[in-house]
Amino acid sequence: MTRGCRPLKAIVEAEQIALERGAVHMTLCGRTNPFDLIIFDEKQVVFVRVKRSVTHFTDPLEILYQYRRDAGRLHRVPLTAVTARELWVRTPRGKWQFFLIRHDSIFEVQRDGTVIPHVVLPINIPQQVVNDTSLERDSVGNTLSDGE
């Protein structure tokens, strides 16, 4: 059973992006291939799988849910000090997202392969209100002191 057409337009665009990073080798057209292209950079060899998406991903973990089969196939590529595995996703509007797949984590990266740091947003938590029981009031609202 097929799951749709190969993203040919996205693969052509991905090749142009990959050429910015180094020499590129396109792989044979096969659905079982774990990657679509290989980038030979000065520092490493990057195995890339290209996919299409209808939405923009806000959390890298969404990639593992949406493309678990492709991420699993890409995960079979041996990860060494000189290899990397990336999943590139193109939205219908032509926007690209790039994800680095490690052994135990996934990070969003920029076009050049540098990791986008995860930003922790500051959240202001108001001080908890502590009930002051030193001054107790009666049912009318008069303050009762300890001596009364």
Side-chain angles (χ1 to χ4, degrees):
M1 178 175 156
T2 61
R3 297 194 41 107
C5 300
R6 290 194 71 221
L8 297 178
K9 183 177 179 182
I11 290 173
V12 170
E13 289 180 25
E15 182 180 14
Q16 296 304 312
I17 295 169
L19 285 170
E20 297 172 7
R21 292 175 62 176
V24 177
H25 173 73
M26 301 299 292
T27 61
L28 297 174
C29 298
R31 292 187 110 20
T32 59
N33 286 348
F35 46 86
D36 295 310
L37 56 98
I38 304 170
I39 303 171
F40 298 97
D41 193 355
E42 292 178 2
K43 300 175 187 174
Q44 63 184 354
V45 177
V46 183
F47 297 90
V48 178
R49 182 70 170 177
V50 179
K51 298 302 289 181
R52 288 182 304 202
S53 174
V54 294
T55 62
H56 179 82
F57 295 99
T58 57
D59 186 2
L61 293 177
E62 292 177 47
I63 288 292
L64 294 179
Y65 178 76
Q66 183 71 27
Y67 301 110
R68 61 186 164 272
R69 181 175 290 161
D70 294 296
R73 286 184 182 141
L74 204 55
H75 200 267
R76 291 184 197 144
V77 174
L79 189 62
T80 66
V82 295
T83 60
R85 304 174 293 208
E86 293 183 9
L87 186 63
W88 293 7
V89 181
R90 183 188 186 277
T91 63
R93 294 186 178 179
K95 177 107 172 129
W96 283 90
Q97 284 186 279
F98 310 92
F99 298 93
L100 176 68
I101 299 177
R102 306 291 299 168
H103 281 304
D104 58 352
S105 57
I106 183 168
F107 299 101
E108 188 167 3
V109 295
Q110 297 175 356
R111 289 173 78 105
D112 63 356
T114 57
V115 176
I116 298 173
H118 181 70
V119 178
V120 178
L121 299 176
I123 299 174
N124 295 328
I125 301 174
Q127 295 286 335
Q128 289 184 352
V129 179
V130 178
N131 291 334
D132 187 11
T133 58
S134 63
L135 296 176
E136 294 185 13
R137 299 185 182 273
D138 62 5
S139 62
V140 179
N142 298 329
T143 305
L144 301 173
S145 62
D146 292 336
E148 292 181 21

